[in-house]
Amino acid sequence: MRKIVLLHFFTLLLGMFSVAYCQETGWEEVFFKASQDYQKGRFEDAKKKYQLLIKSGKQNGYLYYNIANTCYRLGQLGEAILYYENARFLMPRNADLNANLAYARDQVQDDIDDPSSFFKLAFFWLDSLSLIELFWSFAVLNLVFWAILLRRIFSRSEWSYYLFLIIFIIWGIIGTSFGLKYFELMTDDRAVIFKKEVDVLAGPNSNDTLLFRLHEGSIIHLDRREGGWSLIRLPNKRGWVENNSIAIIKGHLPAE
Amino acid sequence: MALVQARTGKIRNNIVALLLAFCLLIPWTAAADVSLTLYLGPKKATINDTINMTLTVSGTRKTPPPFINGLESFHVFEGGSSSQVKIINGQYTSSIKYLYTLNSKKEGTFRIGPAEVIIKGKRYQSNTEILDITPPLHSKGPRLGKLFLNANLSSSRAYVEEQLIYTLKLYRQIRVRDVSLELPGNEQLTFKQLGDTNEYQTMYNGQDYQVLEVNYSIIPKAPGTYGIKPSRMRMKIFDSRGRSYGSFNDPFFNMSTGQSRLISSEPLELQVLSLPETGRPANFSGLVGRFKIKAGLTPSTIKEGESATLTVQTTGHGNIKHIPDIQFPGIEDIKVYADQPVLNNSFDNKGQKGSKVMKWALVPEKEGNFNIPSLTLSFFDPGKEKYIIIKTYPLDLMVLAGQIQDDKIPINLSSQDTTSKKQTIKELGHDILPIYTSIKGVQFDVPLRPRGLMIWIFLISPVMLYLGSFFAIKQRQKAFKTAGLNQARKAARIFAKRCGQEGLKANDLILYCRDYLNDRMGLHLGSLTALEAARILLLKGVARETSDQFFQQLKIMEAAIYSGRDDQMVFKTEDLIEIVKKIDKELR
């Protein structure tokens, strides 16, 4: 218990220090220095600086992308995939990001086929749009939609009827997309294997039967946690791994 | 409301019209390509067996009766026809299926087909099928009852990677349902089903049986002696023996659920030998079976700078995935570009078969006569129990004088493809793309999800604004209506009160009458004549008698005004009040 309190205290201290450091030096300078470190091959330093920026509250897809690249250069494939996935939440259509993520995924040893759900097939555009993009699209349409309805209280012209029909259909599609994307983000239970090789056991105990092994960078789904163990899920497979061998993708985004 | 209903009706009509047009288009689109497929099940049978034959004519739903060649040695029984239309992913296909049963008159190997049909003056032909008719089976064992499972292996001795056929036959004289199968596979012996199950009738031990046959290909991976455990079939049986249901002696009618039954085949033994070391070619790829190779060069005469395509095709039965990629030896003064090999895999009654097609584009750099050497392929033939090396014939390529266009020579690897073949980009290295160093992109924070205030302003406030306006308007309308009603209710009372004053003149009374009508009926009349008042009252449903009385009263007042006697006349208002009360009552 004491250890946990101490750990929290140091985390808080580090957070405060990072915010203070960024405020003092200016985030632009930190970013510039981090990029310089990267280009000169000082990847550890670059990673620390990029992480400082994120801890200071900066939230931007390019930052996650840069950290992911740095992790990749450091040979931390799992962490690289984790940050690429985080970057995808914010800029899902970025070509460089998608190319690097595909390349990093290609390096993963395990071939895990995540079957597409019906909604993903029906709303195929969801993967290329971020939640905030969908929100703004829906927000604008929502204003137009209710404005037309409001107008129709006073005057029921024919053109406003047809316009209402068209806007209603688009409003429905975009609204459903926004809802699904929001749901997808809220229920995203994906996690990345962090260690080079992880034993997946039949139960939350190191004496339990070894079911199969997973390798760094594989993306799995987290069902629940018990003590120091996590129950993970793959298509047609389940098993327990130690908590420190996986990292939840969504958990690495700064709290809003 | 009526306008909306009319519009909805219009939209509905349009949708119905579209659907109708869609349905009408189906037969037209479905008749686009006609093709015939002849299918036999099984392809090997005894002379006592009944063979099912299906002819499928795709691309149409109506054809004249087809003619099938090669049926002279068979008794043919027509089993009817069925047609169907399929819509899959927006693709419409229609077909008609003709069913036949055949009984052979003699033993031997027969080529059946092609089937022919003439549609709109055009003749269409099907594929042909080979049917082996063998002598009848004579079981040495005892009579096996009404239901038994028979397993058979094409050979009890085989080489590693040799293809064997495992045949399972369910013989039955009773009705069965929900048949499931458990195969005795292991790591070294894997079963691969060959085609669909066949169902036919046969004579076994002098008794008629309905047979369900299924064939599997087995390719042993390691030497040794393997005991193939019995295959097991689980099913529900409907045996009517010992029961009597009169004319309804059929499981279909008695609604019985049947009895579960598990039956097993006999165990088998398989001896798998290693491939012999003696005579093994140096480049042997592990190919086992029977194969043929052939090569072709098109065109065989070209001009300098043009390209010719060398095609090598290996076909046969066996473990076709082991057909190696043949290495084309370099020829001086000829540039060689290899195409991606194409492997085709299918099954027939002899097991797994297939072909591998390899193509090279040959681009000579100078004129002359070039010799394309033989290309070789080695495989182990289990029938002959030795390694076989097969070769293509050497080919000649004649190159005439022409203009060399340096590296821009069009390479045509596919004979059907007339467009120039572009070279695929070769990946020489792999790495991630660089980081972002520009501050521009990082300048603005991008929220992951909308925050509370954003949701309130853009999503909830428009709804609230709309609902607020809607209810406000409704409230206003309601208030107007209520005020009007109140006024109408009080109109007679106000009129009576006003008329109760002393010394009222005609002009005052006409004004009071006008106000009464305005209040009572929600009107906005500026002046009122007796005739107008009577007409309004009649229109609003007041009885003619009452409206006439009111008219008479007003007429008297008008006369007093227009004759200038208004100042001298004093009216008694009791009658007028009574009439107004009457009007009020009738209006209610």
Side-chain angles (χ1 to χ4, degrees):
Chain A
M1 187 64 194
R2 204 174 152 188
K3 270 183 188 170
I4 295 167
V5 171
L6 271 174
L7 192 72
H8 275 94
F9 176 72
F10 280 117
T11 316
L12 192 71
L13 211 64
L14 188 72
M16 283 163 72
F17 169 73
S18 27
V19 174
Y21 177 77
C22 287
Q23 278 171 351
E24 200 178 295
T25 50
W27 69 265
E28 293 95 339
E29 204 182 326
V30 180
F31 180 76
F32 180 69
K33 280 182 180 168
S35 302
Q36 268 192 332
D37 284 341
Y38 180 92
Q39 275 154 351
K40 285 178 182 165
R42 297 192 294 263
F43 299 120
E44 278 289 0
D45 294 341
K47 186 181 165 186
K48 275 178 197 161
K49 287 187 179 98
Y50 284 134
Q51 279 180 328
L52 271 183
L53 283 173
I54 285 180
K55 273 174 194 156
S56 72
K58 199 104 195 100
Q59 183 161 291
N60 192 291
Y62 293 108
L63 265 182
Y64 285 105
Y65 170 84
N66 283 2
I67 302 183
N69 270 16
T70 316
C71 292
Y72 182 82
R73 290 276 178 242
L74 287 166
Q76 298 158 346
L77 184 64
E79 213 169 337
I81 288 176
L82 179 91
Y83 282 112
Y84 281 136
E85 289 286 353
N86 276 299
R88 270 204 102 239
F89 283 130
L90 302 166
M91 42 182 210
R93 290 184 309 284
N94 187 287
D96 285 7
L97 166 65
N98 287 329
N100 283 7
L101 178 59
Y103 180 61
R105 277 179 183 167
D106 201 41
Q107 313 277 301
V108 178
Q109 278 188 45
D110 304 316
D111 181 18
I112 300 167
D113 184 30
D114 210 356
S116 287
S117 64
F118 166 75
F119 286 110
K120 278 205 167 181
L121 291 173
F123 292 81
F124 57 89
W125 54 87
L126 284 189
D127 209 35
S128 317
L129 293 166
S130 70
L131 182 67
I132 205 75
E133 285 170 339
L134 274 169
F135 170 75
W136 284 119
S137 312
F138 184 58
V140 171
L141 266 170
N142 196 47
L143 288 178
V144 176
F145 176 76
W146 291 106
I148 292 170
L149 270 184
L150 196 64
R151 197 197 175 280
R152 281 182 62 77
I153 293 179
F154 302 103
S155 146
R156 299 200 159 202
S157 56
E158 196 172 345
W159 68 265
S160 72
Y161 171 74
Y162 289 112
L163 186 67
F164 164 74
L165 270 188
I166 294 164
I167 296 288
F168 174 69
I169 292 165
I170 306 171
W171 180 81
I173 293 169
I174 303 283
T176 314
S177 304
F178 171 63
L180 283 174
K181 189 83 185 174
Y182 195 86
F183 177 77
E184 191 184 76
L185 182 76
M186 289 301 107
T187 56
D188 188 3
D189 56 359
R190 289 175 306 148
V192 182
I193 300 287
F194 249 44
K195 289 185 177 171
K196 291 281 169 211
E197 194 174 73
V198 172
D199 290 344
V200 184
L201 308 178
N205 192 315
S206 51
N207 295 327
D208 273 305
T209 313
L210 172 65
L211 297 176
F212 54 95
R213 284 199 173 94
L214 286 172
H215 299 88
E216 191 180 17
S218 294
I219 293 181
I220 45 93
H221 295 271
L222 175 70
D223 257 15
R224 65 170 191 272
R225 285 190 149 158
E226 272 181 29
W229 292 83
S230 301
L231 175 62
I232 61 158
R233 188 179 79 241
L234 287 168
N236 306 324
K237 282 187 173 65
R238 287 166 79 80
W240 292 83
V241 294
E242 283 179 291
N243 282 351
N244 58 8
S245 54
I246 60 166
I248 302 162
I249 290 175
K250 208 172 72 178
H252 275 67
L253 291 161
E256 285 181 281
Chain B
M1 191 66 190
L3 187 66
V4 175
Q5 272 177 349
R7 275 178 199 143
T8 321
K10 242 184 202 176
I11 292 165
R12 201 183 299 138
N13 288 345
N14 287 343
I15 292 167
V16 171
L18 270 171
L19 280 171
L20 271 173
F22 179 73
C23 293
L24 285 170
L25 270 171
I26 291 171
W28 181 77
T29 46
D33 289 319
V34 175
S35 66
L36 276 71
T37 313
L38 190 69
Y39 177 76
L40 282 179
K43 292 179 179 72
K44 195 173 180 180
T46 68
I47 197 158
N48 293 332
D49 294 350
T50 304
I51 302 117
N52 294 324
M53 182 172 74
T54 314
L55 174 68
T56 309
V57 186
S58 306
T60 181
R61 284 195 294 167
K62 203 175 178 186
T63 67
F67 173 75
I68 304 168
N69 293 292
L71 295 177
E72 298 78 19
S73 309
F74 295 88
H75 296 290
V76 181
F77 304 96
E78 288 185 15
S81 64
S82 63
S83 66
Q84 60 174 356
V85 174
K86 281 184 194 168
I87 305 168
I88 301 167
N89 294 336
Q91 293 282 323
Y92 316 106
T93 52
S94 64
S95 62
I96 181 161
K97 214 175 242 188
Y98 293 97
L99 305 168
Y100 304 89
T101 48
L102 310 178
N103 280 116
S104 184
K105 294 174 192 168
K106 57 185 179 185
E107 293 157 22
T109 302
F110 303 93
R111 180 182 288 275
I112 297 179
E116 290 175 4
V117 68
I118 297 168
I119 301 168
K120 289 179 186 168
K122 200 177 171 187
R123 184 185 296 272
Y124 295 92
Q125 283 196 334
S126 75
N127 57 313
T128 57
E129 289 272 25
I130 304 291
L131 178 60
D132 276 339
I133 300 292
T134 54
L137 287 173
H138 297 289
S139 170
K140 289 168 191 169
R143 184 172 169 267
L144 292 159
K146 288 189 170 187
L147 183 73
F148 62 94
L149 187 64
N150 193 345
N152 186 35
L153 206 54
S154 57
S155 170
S156 57
R157 183 173 164 273
Y159 284 95
V160 171
E161 290 288 336
E162 181 186 343
Q163 185 172 230
L164 297 158
I165 310 293
Y166 180 79
T167 307
L168 270 177
K169 286 181 186 176
L170 174 72
Y171 288 80
R172 62 184 178 89
Q173 287 177 329
I174 51 175
R175 188 168 163 259
V176 297
R177 216 179 65 188
D178 303 337
V179 180
S180 62
L181 177 65
E182 290 171 34
L183 286 166
N186 62 37
E187 274 183 18
Q188 304 302 333
L189 295 175
T190 50
F191 291 73
K192 204 168 229 178
Q193 190 172 339
L194 302 174
D196 294 331
T197 51
N198 292 316
E199 208 159 1
Y200 56 92
Q201 266 190 327
T202 192
M203 187 80 90
Y204 191 82
N205 261 8
Q207 296 228 2
D208 262 334
Y209 281 95
Q210 191 72 26
V211 181
L212 184 75
E213 181 183 316
V214 56
N215 292 303
Y216 293 90
S217 151
I218 304 175
I219 298 181
K221 300 286 176 202
T225 302
Y226 299 96
I228 301 177
K229 287 179 188 167
S231 290
R232 301 199 300 177
M233 265 189 193
R234 198 179 291 278
M235 67 200 81
K236 272 187 181 164
I237 61 162
F238 299 90
D239 190 2
S240 57
R241 184 176 53 185
R243 295 180 195 174
S244 175
Y245 296 100
S247 56
F248 295 101
N249 192 10
D250 189 309
F252 181 81
F253 290 107
N254 67 30
M255 305 299 281
S256 162
T257 52
Q259 289 179 319
S260 278
R261 174 74 71 85
L262 179 73
I263 55 168
S264 305
S265 68
E266 57 273 41
L268 298 170
E269 197 175 88
L270 174 65
Q271 191 188 1
V272 181
L273 309 171
S274 303
L275 292 174
E277 288 297 325
T278 50
R280 181 180 291 197
N283 60 349
F284 177 64
S285 66
L287 186 63
V288 178
R290 256 183 207 173
F291 295 91
K292 284 178 189 167
I293 192 166
K294 66 176 180 184
L297 187 66
T298 48
S300 54
T301 305
I302 54 170
K303 281 185 181 172
E304 189 185 348
E306 290 177 349
S307 75
T309 305
L310 172 69
T311 308
V312 174
Q313 188 180 23
T314 311
T315 52
H317 284 86
N319 55 348
I320 61 141
K321 280 183 183 166
H322 284 260
I323 299 175
D325 287 349
I326 295 166
Q327 296 302 312
F328 186 80
I331 303 173
E332 209 175 326
D333 299 321
I334 292 185
K335 279 185 183 172
V336 180
Y337 301 92
D339 197 4
Q340 196 69 29
V342 178
L343 189 74
N344 294 310
N345 190 0
S346 60
F347 299 99
D348 65 6
N349 57 343
K350 288 179 190 166
Q352 202 176 8
K353 67 169 186 177
S355 68
K356 189 171 196 174
V357 179
M358 297 188 69
K359 286 183 179 181
W360 292 269
L362 309 179
V363 185
E365 290 174 315
K366 67 174 193 182
E367 63 176 298
N369 204 358
F370 293 90
N371 181 259
I372 311 295
S374 297
L375 298 170
T376 60
L377 175 82
S378 61
F379 65 90
F380 182 76
D381 186 340
K384 292 177 180 164
E385 296 192 277
K386 65 177 183 181
Y387 292 97
I388 309 279
I389 296 173
I390 48 174
K391 287 179 181 178
T392 62
Y393 290 109
L395 299 163
D396 285 324
L397 177 64
M398 179 86 81
V399 182
L400 307 172
Q403 273 195 324
I404 295 180
Q405 292 172 355
D406 205 23
D407 283 341
K408 292 176 182 171
I409 297 161
I411 300 158
N412 191 0
L413 288 165
S414 169
S415 54
Q416 286 112 23
D417 188 8
T418 50
T419 56
S420 63
K421 182 94 179 176
K422 296 195 192 296
Q423 207 172 354
T424 51
I425 299 165
K426 276 185 185 170
E427 286 191 48
L428 303 171
H430 299 278
D431 203 355
I432 53 168
L433 296 163
I435 56 163
Y436 281 92
T437 52
S438 167
I439 280 178
K440 249 186 191 174
V442 193
Q443 217 161 9
F444 303 104
D445 283 356
V446 182
L448 180 68
R449 58 175 178 228
R451 294 186 177 99
L453 193 66
M454 285 156 81
I455 293 173
W456 271 100
I457 293 171
F458 293 98
L459 302 190
I460 297 166
S461 66
V463 187
M464 293 183 73
L465 186 71
Y466 170 79
L467 291 175
S469 307
F470 181 80
F471 286 118
I473 287 163
K474 286 278 164 203
Q475 201 59 40
R476 208 175 132 198
Q477 282 172 352
K478 203 176 163 188
F480 268 123
K481 220 173 171 181
T482 318
L485 279 172
N486 282 338
Q487 222 168 3
R489 217 165 31 229
K490 289 176 187 168
R493 218 182 310 151
I494 292 167
F495 181 80
K497 200 175 172 187
R498 279 170 149 188
C499 290
Q501 295 168 35
E502 288 288 322
L504 287 172
K505 289 174 183 163
N507 202 24
D508 299 325
L509 282 173
I510 281 191
L511 280 178
Y512 294 161
C513 287
R514 183 202 68 184
D515 289 345
Y516 166 74
L517 288 182
N518 277 345
D519 290 349
R520 186 65 185 84
M521 292 163 196
L523 302 173
H524 302 282
L525 299 170
S527 60
L528 186 74
T529 61
L531 199 64
E532 230 173 6
R535 200 179 295 147
I536 289 167
L537 288 176
L538 282 172
L539 275 172
K540 294 284 176 184
V542 176
R544 181 165 283 277
E545 191 192 346
T546 318
S547 69
D548 281 350
Q549 286 173 356
F550 195 65
F551 171 77
Q552 290 303 328
Q553 287 288 330
L554 286 175
K555 202 82 188 145
I556 294 164
M557 288 175 215
E558 275 176 359
I561 293 166
Y562 298 125
S563 62
R565 288 180 292 134
D566 188 23
D567 292 339
Q568 296 144 29
M569 283 184 77
V570 175
F571 286 90
K572 280 187 138 186
T573 56
E574 285 83 11
D575 293 345
L576 195 57
I577 290 168
E578 277 310 308
I579 294 167
V580 164
K581 277 183 181 171
K582 213 172 162 186
I583 290 170
D584 215 51
K585 206 174 175 183
E586 283 172 19
L587 279 174
R588 238 178 269 152

